[in-house]
Amino acid sequence: MNSDVAHAREIAEAALAGRVKKGGEPLLEHVARVAASVADEIEQIIAWLHDVPENAPEWTLERLHQEGFAPAVLAAVDALTRREGESHADLVRRAAANPLARKVKLADLRDNLATAERTGGDGEKYRNGLRLLEA
């Protein structure tokens, strides 16, 4: 594993430890599946970090910058981080505008949809997000 990928994984493991998704699943399991589903190392770094700033506010983009992550990684993580009051559709559109974030968002939505279907949850917002990305 690339040392930058390993560093991103370590940060995600520390930042997301004990945090759960709405359905009760450990957030780290979702992040690990998303990272495993993208091929490129830079996409894997972004995937490991994609839920960190939103779910661990002490991990700001500035702090990730101080950890040595490249500007392209930080821009993609920023594009994947929901803003206060932002709709899911607007988040997907913003992520789609960044080529690196777009690939990770696609993997994120697919994993969220699979989880919703597996657990009997409503996956419609994820289906809508996938439609937006494919448009």
Side-chain angles (χ1 to χ4, degrees), residues 25-38:
E25 173 192 39
L27 183 56
L28 195 54
E29 290 179 16
H30 159 72
V31 171
R33 286 193 305 270
V34 173
S37 71
V38 294

Side-chain angles (χ1 to χ4, degrees), residues 41-63:
E41 285 185 352
I42 195 165
E43 293 165 10
Q44 291 172 6
I45 294 165
I46 295 162
W48 277 111
L49 299 174
H50 85 274
D51 276 340
V52 169
E54 189 175 320
N55 291 282
E58 68 277 13
W59 279 98
T60 62
L61 291 171
E62 177 58 33
R63 186 170 176 192

Side-chain angles (χ1 to χ4, degrees), residues 81-111:
T81 302
R82 183 186 303 269
R83 309 284 193 261
E84 189 173 331
E86 183 176 44
S87 73
H88 187 257
D90 286 343
L91 169 63
V92 172
R93 285 186 197 97
R94 194 162 46 76
N98 178 303
L100 292 170
R102 187 181 203 288
K103 292 178 182 178
V104 174
K105 189 64 182 171
L106 184 61
D108 176 54
L109 289 167
R110 286 178 176 154
D111 185 72

